[in-house]
Amino acid sequence: MLGAALLDQEWHQLAPGHPVVGVDEVEGFERSALARHGVASDLVPPRYRSGYFAHAFTNGYDAGYYSYLWSEVLDADLVD
């Protein structure tokens, strides 16, 4: 889930005027974005790809999407 959130943020942080990422360049964009955050692994490919986000932004699901991560953080704090 963390990889998906980081990838989503990478797309949203592209500066205005950034060259359009073509369909044939998406996989490279994903790979370099995840590598920048230290969550890329050749042995474990990304579970969520860029094309999988469409459902998150069409029905208000986007806020709940990130609450899952915070729930994990709070849970980890309570267990420690």
Coordinates of all heavy atoms in Angstrom, one line a residue:
M1 N 0.8 -1.2 0.0 CA 0.0 0.0 0.0 C 0.9 1.3 0.0 O 0.5 2.2 -0.6 CB -0.9 0.0 1.2 CG -2.0 1.0 1.2 SD -3.1 0.8 -0.2 CE -4.6 0.2 0.6
L2 N 2.0 1.2 0.7 CA 2.9 2.4 0.8 C 3.4 2.7 -0.6 O 3.4 3.8 -1.0 CB 4.0 2.1 1.7 CG 5.1 3.3 1.8 CD1 4.4 4.5 2.3 CD2 6.2 2.9 2.7
G3 N 3.8 1.7 -1.4 CA 4.3 1.9 -2.7 C 3.3 2.6 -3.6 O 3.6 3.4 -4.4
A4 N 2.0 2.2 -3.5 CA 0.9 2.8 -4.3 C 0.8 4.2 -3.9 O 0.6 5.1 -4.8 CB -0.4 2.0 -4.0
A5 N 0.8 4.6 -2.6 CA 0.7 5.9 -2.2 C 1.8 6.8 -2.7 O 1.6 7.9 -3.2 CB 0.5 6.0 -0.7
L6 N 3.0 6.3 -2.6 CA 4.2 7.0 -3.1 C 4.1 7.2 -4.6 O 4.5 8.3 -5.1 CB 5.5 6.2 -2.7 CG 5.8 6.2 -1.2 CD1 6.9 5.2 -1.0 CD2 6.1 7.6 -0.7
L7 N 3.7 6.2 -5.3 CA 3.6 6.3 -6.8 C 2.5 7.4 -7.1 O 2.7 8.2 -8.0 CB 3.2 5.0 -7.4 CG 3.1 4.9 -8.9 CD1 4.4 5.4 -9.6 CD2 2.8 3.5 -9.3
D8 N 1.4 7.3 -6.4 CA 0.4 8.3 -6.7 C 0.9 9.7 -6.4 O 0.6 10.6 -7.2 CB -0.8 8.0 -5.7 CG -1.9 9.0 -5.9 OD1 -2.3 9.2 -7.0 OD2 -2.4 9.5 -4.8
Q9 N 1.6 9.9 -5.4 CA 2.2 11.3 -5.1 C 3.2 11.7 -6.1 O 3.2 12.9 -6.5 CB 2.8 11.3 -3.7 CG 1.8 11.2 -2.6 CD 0.9 12.4 -2.6 OE1 1.3 13.5 -2.6 NE2 -0.4 12.1 -2.6
E10 N 4.0 10.8 -6.6 CA 4.9 11.1 -7.7 C 4.2 11.7 -8.9 O 4.6 12.7 -9.5 CB 5.8 9.9 -8.1 CG 6.8 9.5 -7.1 CD 8.0 10.5 -7.1 OE1 8.3 11.1 -8.1 OE2 8.5 10.7 -6.0
W11 N 3.1 11.1 -9.3 CA 2.3 11.6 -10.4 C 1.8 13.0 -10.2 O 1.8 13.8 -11.0 CB 1.1 10.6 -10.8 CG 1.5 9.4 -11.5 CD1 1.4 8.1 -11.1 CD2 2.0 9.3 -12.8 NE1 1.9 7.2 -12.0 CE2 2.2 7.9 -13.1 CE3 2.3 10.2 -13.8 CZ2 2.7 7.5 -14.4 CZ3 2.8 9.8 -15.1 CH2 3.0 8.4 -15.3
H12 N 1.3 13.2 -8.9 CA 0.6 14.4 -8.6 C 1.7 15.6 -8.4 O 1.3 16.7 -8.4 CB -0.3 14.3 -7.4 CG -1.5 13.6 -7.7 ND1 -1.7 12.3 -7.8 CD2 -2.7 14.2 -8.0 CE1 -2.9 12.0 -8.1 NE2 -3.6 13.1 -8.3
Q13 N 2.9 15.2 -8.2 CA 3.9 16.2 -8.0 C 4.7 16.6 -9.3 O 5.6 17.4 -9.2 CB 4.9 15.7 -7.0 CG 4.3 15.7 -5.6 CD 5.3 15.1 -4.6 OE1 6.5 15.3 -4.7 NE2 4.8 14.6 -3.5
L14 N 4.3 16.1 -10.4 CA 4.9 16.5 -11.7 C 4.6 18.0 -11.9 O 3.4 18.4 -11.8 CB 4.4 15.7 -12.9 CG 4.8 14.2 -12.9 CD1 4.1 13.5 -14.1 CD2 6.3 14.1 -13.0
A15 N 5.6 18.7 -12.1 CA 5.4 20.2 -12.3 C 4.6 20.5 -13.6 O 4.7 19.8 -14.6 CB 6.8 20.8 -12.4
P16 N 3.9 21.6 -13.5 CA 3.2 22.0 -14.7 C 4.2 22.2 -15.8 O 5.3 22.8 -15.6 CB 2.6 23.4 -14.3 CG 2.4 23.3 -12.8 CD 3.6 22.5 -12.4
G17 N 3.9 21.8 -17.0 CA 4.9 21.9 -18.1 C 5.8 20.8 -18.2 O 6.6 20.7 -19.2
H18 N 5.8 19.8 -17.3 CA 6.6 18.6 -17.4 C 6.2 17.9 -18.6 O 5.0 17.8 -18.9 CB 6.4 17.7 -16.1 CG 7.2 16.5 -16.1 ND1 6.9 15.4 -16.8 CD2 8.4 16.3 -15.4 CE1 7.9 14.5 -16.5 NE2 8.7 15.0 -15.7
P19 N 7.2 17.4 -19.3 CA 6.8 16.6 -20.5 C 5.8 15.5 -20.2 O 5.9 14.8 -19.2 CB 8.1 16.0 -21.0 CG 9.2 16.9 -20.4 CD 8.6 17.4 -19.1
V20 N 4.9 15.3 -21.1 CA 3.9 14.2 -20.9 C 4.6 12.9 -20.9 O 5.4 12.6 -21.7 CB 2.8 14.3 -22.0 CG1 1.9 13.1 -22.0 CG2 2.1 15.6 -22.0
V21 N 4.2 12.0 -19.9 CA 4.7 10.7 -19.8 C 3.9 9.8 -20.8 O 2.7 9.6 -20.5 CB 4.7 10.1 -18.4 CG1 5.2 8.7 -18.3 CG2 5.4 11.0 -17.5
G22 N 4.5 9.3 -21.8 CA 3.8 8.5 -22.8 C 3.4 7.1 -22.2 O 4.0 6.6 -21.3
V23 N 2.5 6.5 -22.9 CA 2.1 5.1 -22.5 C 3.2 4.2 -22.4 O 3.3 3.4 -21.4 CB 1.0 4.6 -23.4 CG1 0.6 3.2 -23.1 CG2 -0.3 5.5 -23.4
D24 N 4.1 4.3 -23.3 CA 5.3 3.4 -23.3 C 6.4 3.8 -22.3 O 7.3 3.0 -22.1 CB 5.9 3.3 -24.7 CG 6.3 4.6 -25.2 OD1 5.8 5.6 -24.8 OD2 7.2 4.7 -26.1
E25 N 6.2 4.9 -21.6 CA 7.1 5.3 -20.6 C 6.6 5.2 -19.1 O 7.4 5.4 -18.2 CB 7.4 6.8 -20.8 CG 8.0 7.1 -22.2 CD 8.1 8.6 -22.5 OE1 7.1 9.3 -22.2 OE2 9.1 9.1 -23.0
V26 N 5.4 4.7 -19.0 CA 4.8 4.6 -17.6 C 5.5 3.6 -16.8 O 5.8 3.9 -15.6 CB 3.3 4.2 -17.7 CG1 2.7 3.9 -16.4 CG2 2.5 5.3 -18.4
E27 N 5.9 2.5 -17.3 CA 6.6 1.5 -16.5 C 7.9 2.0 -16.0 O 8.3 1.8 -14.8 CB 6.8 0.2 -17.3 CG 7.3 -0.9 -16.4 CD 7.3 -2.3 -17.2 OE1 6.5 -2.5 -18.1 OE2 8.2 -3.1 -16.8
G28 N 8.7 2.7 -16.8 CA 9.9 3.4 -16.4 C 9.7 4.4 -15.4 O 10.5 4.5 -14.4
F29 N 8.6 5.2 -15.5 CA 8.3 6.2 -14.5 C 8.0 5.6 -13.2 O 8.5 6.0 -12.1 CB 7.1 7.0 -15.0 CG 6.6 8.1 -14.0 CD1 7.2 9.3 -14.0 CD2 5.7 7.8 -13.0 CE1 6.8 10.3 -13.0 CE2 5.3 8.7 -12.1 CZ 5.8 10.0 -12.1
E30 N 7.2 4.5 -13.2 CA 6.9 3.8 -11.9 C 8.2 3.2 -11.3 O 8.4 3.4 -10.1 CB 6.0 2.7 -12.2 CG 4.6 3.1 -12.6 CD 3.7 2.0 -13.1 OE1 4.2 0.9 -13.4 OE2 2.5 2.1 -13.0
R31 N 9.0 2.6 -12.1 CA 10.2 2.0 -11.6 C 11.2 3.0 -11.0 O 11.7 2.9 -9.8 CB 11.0 1.3 -12.7 CG 12.1 0.4 -12.3 CD 12.7 -0.5 -13.4 NE 12.5 -0.1 -14.8 CZ 11.6 -0.6 -15.6 NH1 10.8 -1.6 -15.2 NH2 11.5 -0.2 -16.8
S32 N 11.4 4.2 -11.6 CA 12.3 5.2 -11.1 C 11.6 5.9 -9.9 O 12.4 6.2 -8.9 CB 12.7 6.2 -12.1 OG 11.5 6.9 -12.6
A33 N 10.3 6.1 -9.9 CA 9.7 6.7 -8.7 C 9.8 5.8 -7.5 O 10.1 6.3 -6.4 CB 8.2 7.0 -9.0
L34 N 9.6 4.5 -7.6 CA 9.7 3.6 -6.5 C 11.1 3.5 -6.0 O 11.4 3.4 -4.8 CB 9.0 2.3 -6.8 CG 7.5 2.3 -7.1 CD1 7.1 0.9 -7.6 CD2 6.8 2.8 -5.9
A35 N 12.0 3.5 -6.9 CA 13.5 3.4 -6.6 C 13.9 4.7 -5.8 O 14.7 4.5 -4.8 CB 14.3 3.3 -7.8
R36 N 13.4 5.8 -6.2 CA 13.7 7.1 -5.4 C 13.3 7.0 -4.0 O 13.9 7.5 -3.1 CB 13.0 8.3 -6.1 CG 13.9 9.0 -7.0 CD 13.3 10.4 -7.4 NE 11.9 10.4 -7.9 CZ 11.6 10.0 -9.2 NH1 12.6 9.6 -10.0 NH2 10.4 10.0 -9.6
H37 N 12.3 6.3 -3.7 CA 11.8 6.1 -2.3 C 12.3 4.9 -1.6 O 11.9 4.6 -0.5 CB 10.2 6.1 -2.3 CG 9.7 7.5 -2.7 ND1 9.6 8.5 -1.9 CD2 9.1 7.9 -3.9 CE1 9.1 9.6 -2.5 NE2 8.8 9.2 -3.7
G38 N 13.1 4.1 -2.3 CA 13.7 2.9 -1.7 C 12.7 1.7 -1.5 O 13.0 0.9 -0.7
V39 N 11.7 1.7 -2.3 CA 10.7 0.6 -2.2 C 10.6 -0.3 -3.4 O 9.7 -1.1 -3.6 CB 9.3 1.1 -1.8 CG1 9.3 1.7 -0.4 CG2 8.8 2.1 -2.8
A40 N 11.6 -0.1 -4.3 CA 11.6 -0.9 -5.6 C 12.4 -2.2 -5.3 O 13.4 -2.2 -4.6 CB 12.2 -0.1 -6.7
S41 N 11.9 -3.3 -5.8 CA 12.6 -4.6 -5.7 C 12.4 -5.4 -6.9 O 11.2 -5.6 -7.4 CB 12.1 -5.3 -4.5 OG 12.6 -6.7 -4.4
D42 N 13.4 -5.9 -7.5 CA 13.3 -6.8 -8.7 C 12.6 -8.1 -8.3 O 11.9 -8.7 -9.2 CB 14.6 -7.1 -9.3 CG 15.3 -5.9 -10.0 OD1 14.5 -5.0 -10.4 OD2 16.5 -5.8 -10.0
L43 N 12.7 -8.5 -7.1 CA 12.1 -9.8 -6.6 C 10.6 -9.6 -6.3 O 9.9 -10.6 -6.4 CB 12.8 -10.3 -5.4 CG 14.3 -10.6 -5.6 CD1 14.9 -11.1 -4.3 CD2 14.5 -11.7 -6.6
V44 N 10.2 -8.4 -6.0 CA 8.8 -8.2 -5.7 C 8.3 -7.0 -6.5 O 8.5 -5.9 -6.2 CB 8.6 -7.8 -4.2 CG1 7.1 -7.6 -3.8 CG2 9.3 -8.9 -3.3
P45 N 7.6 -7.3 -7.6 CA 7.2 -6.2 -8.5 C 6.0 -5.5 -7.8 O 5.4 -5.9 -6.9 CB 6.6 -7.0 -9.7 CG 6.4 -8.4 -9.3 CD 7.3 -8.6 -8.1
P46 N 5.8 -4.2 -8.3 CA 4.7 -3.4 -7.7 C 3.4 -4.1 -7.8 O 3.0 -4.7 -8.8 CB 4.7 -2.1 -8.6 CG 6.0 -2.1 -9.3 CD 6.4 -3.5 -9.4
R47 N 2.7 -4.1 -6.7 CA 1.3 -4.7 -6.6 C 0.3 -3.8 -7.3 O -0.7 -4.2 -7.8 CB 1.0 -5.0 -5.2 CG -0.3 -5.6 -5.0 CD -0.5 -6.0 -3.5 NE -1.9 -6.2 -3.2 CZ -2.4 -6.2 -2.0 NH1 -1.6 -6.2 -1.0 NH2 -3.6 -6.3 -1.8
Y48 N 0.5 -2.5 -7.1 CA -0.4 -1.5 -7.7 C 0.3 -0.7 -8.8 O 1.3 -0.2 -8.6 CB -0.9 -0.5 -6.6 CG -1.6 -1.2 -5.5 CD1 -1.0 -1.5 -4.3 CD2 -3.0 -1.6 -5.7 CE1 -1.7 -2.1 -3.3 CE2 -3.7 -2.2 -4.6 CZ -3.0 -2.5 -3.4 OH -3.7 -3.1 -2.4
R49 N -0.4 -0.7 -10.0 CA 0.2 0.1 -11.1 C -0.6 1.3 -11.3 O -1.7 1.5 -10.8 CB 0.2 -0.8 -12.4 CG 0.8 -2.2 -12.2 CD 2.2 -2.2 -11.8 NE 3.1 -1.5 -12.8 CZ 3.9 -2.2 -13.6 NH1 4.0 -3.4 -13.6 NH2 4.6 -1.5 -14.4
S50 N 0.0 2.2 -12.1 CA -0.6 3.6 -12.3 C -2.0 3.5 -12.8 O -2.9 4.3 -12.4 CB 0.2 4.4 -13.2 OG 1.5 4.6 -12.6
G51 N -2.3 2.6 -13.7 CA -3.6 2.4 -14.3 C -4.7 1.9 -13.3 O -5.9 2.0 -13.5
Y52 N -4.3 1.5 -12.1 CA -5.2 1.0 -11.1 C -5.8 2.1 -10.3 O -6.7 1.8 -9.5 CB -4.5 0.0 -10.2 CG -3.9 -1.2 -10.8 CD1 -3.1 -2.1 -10.0 CD2 -4.0 -1.5 -12.1 CE1 -2.6 -3.2 -10.6 CE2 -3.4 -2.6 -12.7 CZ -2.7 -3.5 -11.9 OH -2.1 -4.6 -12.5
F53 N -5.4 3.3 -10.4 CA -5.9 4.4 -9.6 C -7.2 5.0 -10.0 O -7.8 5.8 -9.3 CB -4.9 5.5 -9.5 CG -3.6 5.1 -8.8 CD1 -2.4 5.2 -9.4 CD2 -3.6 4.7 -7.4 CE1 -1.2 4.8 -8.8 CE2 -2.5 4.4 -6.8 CZ -1.3 4.4 -7.4
A54 N -7.7 4.6 -11.1 CA -8.9 5.3 -11.7 C -10.1 5.3 -10.7 O -10.8 6.2 -10.5 CB -9.3 4.7 -13.0
H55 N -10.3 4.1 -10.0 CA -11.4 4.0 -9.1 C -11.3 5.0 -7.9 O -12.2 5.4 -7.3 CB -11.5 2.6 -8.6 CG -10.5 2.2 -7.6 ND1 -9.2 1.9 -8.0 CD2 -10.5 2.0 -6.3 CE1 -8.5 1.6 -7.0 NE2 -9.2 1.7 -5.9
A56 N -10.0 5.3 -7.5 CA -9.8 6.1 -6.3 C -10.2 7.6 -6.5 O -10.5 8.2 -5.5 CB -8.3 6.1 -5.9
F57 N -10.3 8.0 -7.7 CA -10.5 9.4 -7.9 C -11.9 9.7 -8.6 O -12.1 10.8 -9.0 CB -9.4 10.1 -8.7 CG -8.1 9.9 -8.1 CD1 -7.2 8.9 -8.5 CD2 -7.8 10.7 -6.9 CE1 -6.0 8.8 -7.8 CE2 -6.6 10.5 -6.3 CZ -5.7 9.5 -6.7
T58 N -12.7 8.7 -8.7 CA -14.0 8.9 -9.3 C -15.2 8.9 -8.4 O -16.3 9.3 -8.7 CB -14.3 7.9 -10.4 OG1 -14.2 6.6 -9.8 CG2 -13.2 8.0 -11.5
N59 N -15.0 8.5 -7.1 CA -16.1 8.3 -6.2 C -15.8 8.7 -4.8 O -16.5 8.3 -3.8 CB -16.7 6.9 -6.3 CG -15.7 5.9 -5.8 OD1 -14.6 6.2 -5.4 ND2 -16.0 4.6 -6.0
G60 N -14.8 9.6 -4.5 CA -14.5 10.0 -3.2 C -13.7 9.0 -2.4 O -13.5 9.2 -1.2
Y61 N -13.2 8.0 -3.0 CA -12.4 7.0 -2.3 C -11.0 7.5 -1.9 O -10.4 6.9 -1.1 CB -12.3 5.7 -3.2 CG -11.5 4.6 -2.6 CD1 -12.0 3.9 -1.5 CD2 -10.3 4.2 -3.2 CE1 -11.3 2.8 -1.0 CE2 -9.6 3.2 -2.7 CZ -10.0 2.5 -1.6 OH -9.3 1.4 -1.1
D62 N -10.6 8.6 -2.6 CA -9.2 9.0 -2.4 C -8.8 9.3 -0.9 O -7.7 9.0 -0.5 CB -8.8 10.2 -3.3 CG -9.9 11.3 -3.3 OD1 -11.0 11.0 -2.9 OD2 -9.5 12.4 -3.6
A63 N -9.7 10.0 -0.2 CA -9.4 10.3 1.2 C -9.2 9.0 2.0 O -8.3 8.9 2.9 CB -10.4 11.2 1.8
G64 N -10.1 8.1 1.8 CA -10.0 6.8 2.6 C -8.8 6.0 2.2 O -8.3 5.3 3.0
Y65 N -8.4 6.2 1.0 CA -7.2 5.4 0.5 C -6.0 5.7 1.4 O -5.3 4.8 1.8 CB -6.9 5.9 -0.9 CG -5.8 5.3 -1.6 CD1 -5.8 4.0 -2.1 CD2 -4.6 6.1 -1.9 CE1 -4.8 3.5 -2.8 CE2 -3.6 5.6 -2.5 CZ -3.6 4.3 -3.0 OH -2.6 3.8 -3.7
Y66 N -5.8 7.0 1.8 CA -4.6 7.3 2.6 C -4.9 7.1 4.0 O -3.9 6.9 4.8 CB -4.2 8.8 2.3 CG -3.6 8.9 0.9 CD1 -4.4 9.5 -0.1 CD2 -2.4 8.5 0.7 CE1 -3.9 9.6 -1.4 CE2 -1.9 8.6 -0.6 CZ -2.6 9.1 -1.6 OH -2.1 9.2 -2.9
S67 N -6.1 7.0 4.5 CA -6.4 6.7 5.9 C -6.0 5.3 6.2 O -5.6 5.0 7.4 CB -7.9 6.9 6.2 OG -8.7 5.9 5.6
Y68 N -5.9 4.4 5.2 CA -5.4 3.0 5.5 C -4.0 3.1 6.0 O -3.6 2.4 6.9 CB -5.4 2.2 4.3 CG -6.8 1.9 3.7 CD1 -7.0 1.8 2.3 CD2 -7.9 1.7 4.6 CE1 -8.3 1.5 1.8 CE2 -9.2 1.4 4.0 CZ -9.3 1.3 2.7 OH -10.5 1.0 2.2
L69 N -3.2 3.9 5.4 CA -1.8 4.0 5.8 C -1.7 4.6 7.2 O -0.9 4.1 8.0 CB -1.0 4.9 4.9 CG -0.7 4.4 3.5 CD1 -0.1 5.4 2.6 CD2 0.1 3.1 3.5
W70 N -2.5 5.6 7.5 CA -2.4 6.2 8.9 C -2.9 5.1 9.9 O -2.4 5.1 11.1 CB -3.2 7.5 9.0 CG -2.4 8.6 8.3 CD1 -2.7 9.2 7.2 CD2 -1.2 9.1 8.8 NE1 -1.7 10.1 6.9 CE2 -0.8 10.1 7.9 CE3 -0.4 8.9 9.9 CZ2 0.4 10.8 8.0 CZ3 0.8 9.6 10.1 CH2 1.1 10.6 9.1
S71 N -3.9 4.3 9.6 CA -4.4 3.3 10.5 C -3.2 2.3 10.8 O -3.1 1.9 11.9 CB -5.5 2.5 9.8 OG -6.6 3.3 9.6
E72 N -2.4 2.0 9.8 CA -1.3 1.1 10.1 C -0.3 1.8 11.0 O 0.3 1.1 11.9 CB -0.6 0.7 8.7 CG -1.5 -0.2 7.9 CD -0.8 -0.5 6.5 OE1 0.4 -0.3 6.4 OE2 -1.5 -1.0 5.6
V73 N 0.0 3.0 10.8 CA 0.9 3.8 11.7 C 0.4 3.8 13.1 O 1.2 3.5 14.0 CB 1.1 5.2 11.1 CG1 1.9 6.0 12.2 CG2 1.8 5.2 9.8
L74 N -0.8 4.1 13.3 CA -1.4 4.2 14.6 C -1.4 2.8 15.3 O -1.1 2.7 16.5 CB -2.8 4.7 14.6 CG -2.9 6.2 14.2 CD1 -4.4 6.6 14.0 CD2 -2.3 7.1 15.2
D75 N -1.7 1.8 14.5 CA -1.7 0.4 15.0 C -0.3 0.1 15.5 O -0.1 -0.5 16.6 CB -2.2 -0.6 14.0 CG -2.1 -2.0 14.4 OD1 -2.7 -2.3 15.5 OD2 -1.4 -2.8 13.8
A76 N 0.7 0.4 14.7 CA 2.1 0.1 15.0 C 2.5 0.8 16.3 O 3.2 0.3 17.2 CB 3.0 0.4 13.9
D77 N 2.1 2.1 16.5 CA 2.4 2.8 17.7 C 1.8 2.2 18.9 O 2.3 2.2 20.0 CB 1.9 4.3 17.5 CG 2.8 5.1 16.6 OD1 3.9 4.6 16.3 OD2 2.4 6.2 16.3
L78 N 0.5 1.7 18.8 CA -0.1 1.1 19.9 C 0.5 -0.2 20.3 O 0.5 -0.6 21.5 CB -1.6 0.9 19.6 CG -2.4 2.2 19.5 CD1 -3.8 1.9 19.0 CD2 -2.5 2.9 20.8
V79 N 1.0 -1.0 19.4 CA 1.5 -2.3 19.6 C 2.9 -2.2 20.3 O 3.3 -2.9 21.2 CB 1.6 -3.1 18.3 CG1 2.4 -4.4 18.6 CG2 0.2 -3.4 17.8
D80 N 3.7 -1.2 19.9 CA 5.0 -1.0 20.5 C 4.9 -0.7 21.9 O 4.7 -0.4 22.8 CB 5.8 0.1 19.7 CG 6.2 -0.4 18.4 OD1 6.2 -1.6 18.1 OD2 6.5 0.4 17.5

